[in-house]
Amino acid sequence: MRKPMIAGNWKMNKTRDEAINFTLGVANGLPLNVECVVCAPFIILRDLVKRAPKNLKIGAQNMDYHESGAFTGEISPIMLQDTGVEYVIIGHSERRSYYNETDESVNLKVKKALEFNLKPIVCVGEVLEERESGKTEEVLAKQVRLGFEGVKLDEPANLVVAYEPVWAIGTGKNATSQTAQDACKFIRGELAKIFGQSKADEIRILYGGSVKPENIKEYMANEDVDGALVGGASLKVDSFLALCNYKN
Ligand code: 13P
């Protein structure tokens, strides 16, 4: 009942021309039974929304939680809504570590995104030291509890959570399939405490961290892993198509 999702996070990559070429490259190869998304830099979102094939959804990688005002360099939910994007990544570990994002700012952003009909892809995940000291569940529970505190969720299918262990991002050291399943299952249990079991059962939970065409199938075979949030391997047409077509 949860539609699988493959979401590319392009991070700070691609010019407008490169992005447009990507949409042309994937146009005829995307499956209908998997939700395919790319989350791109702000400046090319409008072009992507205009040119993306019907079954390629577009998302942003961040947003401010204020609606407008004196916040130099920031992008508001109103502006994102105006571009026509459907998704927005919130609380990526790179934003948390390089730009001081906290569970509290994640919470404000999630609320604002939903208010403006943007579907949040909320990232959680532990750093290596936390995993090695046995604190993974404690960290995930806190990120989920604070991140979703007071969030009103009418449409659980509009919320996506991404489990991205920080030690697996861009390192080639992907989590094992079992590790991803255990964490995603744990996160679903925490979501159930906040939203109730039936809503938690509708929320999609993605795994992210060194996902490639060679390992996507193992992750997708798990009960609680509903998709992947992919960095490096989402940048090339061929590998993005291979990821989205993991069923074939
Ligand atoms: P990689 O797939 O490059 O490890 O990046 C994962 C990620 O951060 C997706 O948001």
Side-chain angles (χ1 to χ4, degrees):
M1 92 189 150
R2 298 186 294 266
K3 187 170 186 181
M5 172 185 279
I6 301 294
N9 173 9
W10 283 353
K11 307 191 180 183
M12 199 171 70
N13 291 291
K14 289 200 193 290
T15 61
R16 177 176 176 272
D17 283 353
E18 288 166 347
I20 290 169
N21 282 337
F22 180 95
T23 62
L24 297 174
V26 299
N28 296 317
L30 295 170
L32 293 171
N33 53 0
V34 172
E35 191 160 9
C36 309
V37 183
V38 289
C39 299
F42 290 129
I43 197 163
I44 53 180
L45 291 176
R46 194 179 287 276
D47 283 298
L48 281 173
V49 168
K50 202 155 58 179
R51 293 168 193 258
K54 200 165 75 256
N55 45 349
L56 180 64
K57 309 281 180 61
I58 306 302
Q61 300 172 6
N62 179 36
M63 60 165 226
D64 199 272
Y65 54 80
H66 299 93
E67 294 179 20
S68 64
F71 301 100
T72 302
E74 291 297 318
I75 299 288
S76 79
I78 297 175
M79 295 169 187
L80 279 192
Q81 191 183 45
D82 191 48
T83 66
V85 295
E86 196 168 321
Y87 287 95
V88 57
I89 297 175
I90 291 176
H92 190 278
S93 62
E94 287 150 18
R95 304 264 352 146
R96 291 178 190 253
S97 63
Y98 306 144
Y99 304 99
N100 304 320
E101 290 232 6
T102 61
D103 293 325
E104 289 70 25
S105 63
V106 167
N107 182 258
L108 291 166
K109 291 181 181 195
V110 170
K111 288 176 181 163
K112 271 294 161 194
L114 290 170
E115 185 184 329
F116 285 90
N117 294 319
L118 298 160
K119 300 176 182 171
I121 302 175
V122 183
C123 301
V124 296
E126 80 286 0
V127 300
L128 187 59
E129 195 190 346
E130 291 162 340
R131 172 154 290 269
E132 287 178 340
S133 55
K135 293 204 176 116
T136 298
E137 294 196 345
E138 189 187 315
V139 169
L140 294 177
K142 180 164 172 275
Q143 289 175 335
V144 170
R145 182 167 42 80
L146 297 181
F148 296 114
E149 196 163 40
V151 168
K152 245 182 94 264
L153 190 61
D154 298 325
E155 277 296 332
N158 289 348
L159 176 64
V160 180
V161 178
Y163 169 59
E164 296 210 315
V166 179
W167 46 270
I169 296 177
T171 58
K173 291 185 191 140
N174 55 305
T176 65
S177 171
Q178 189 62 49
T179 299
Q181 162 60 21
D182 291 346
C184 290
K185 184 174 180 188
F186 177 79
I187 289 167
R188 197 176 305 287
E190 294 303 301
L191 290 169
K193 291 182 193 165
I194 298 167
F195 298 117
Q197 190 65 53
S198 70
K199 283 189 177 171
D201 284 339
E202 281 187 62
I203 297 170
R204 284 174 294 181
I205 306 179
L206 316 180
Y207 165 73
S210 301
V211 175
K212 302 177 214 50
E214 301 81 60
N215 58 28
I216 182 73
K217 266 196 179 161
E218 298 166 37
Y219 292 116
M220 296 308 290
N222 289 308
E223 174 69 28
D224 287 287
V225 180
D226 304 311
L229 183 57
V230 188
S234 72
L235 290 169
K236 295 227 165 73
V237 166
D238 288 353
S239 60
F240 186 70
L241 282 178
L243 287 163
C244 292
N245 289 289
Y246 71 91
K247 288 188 182 181
N248 304 328

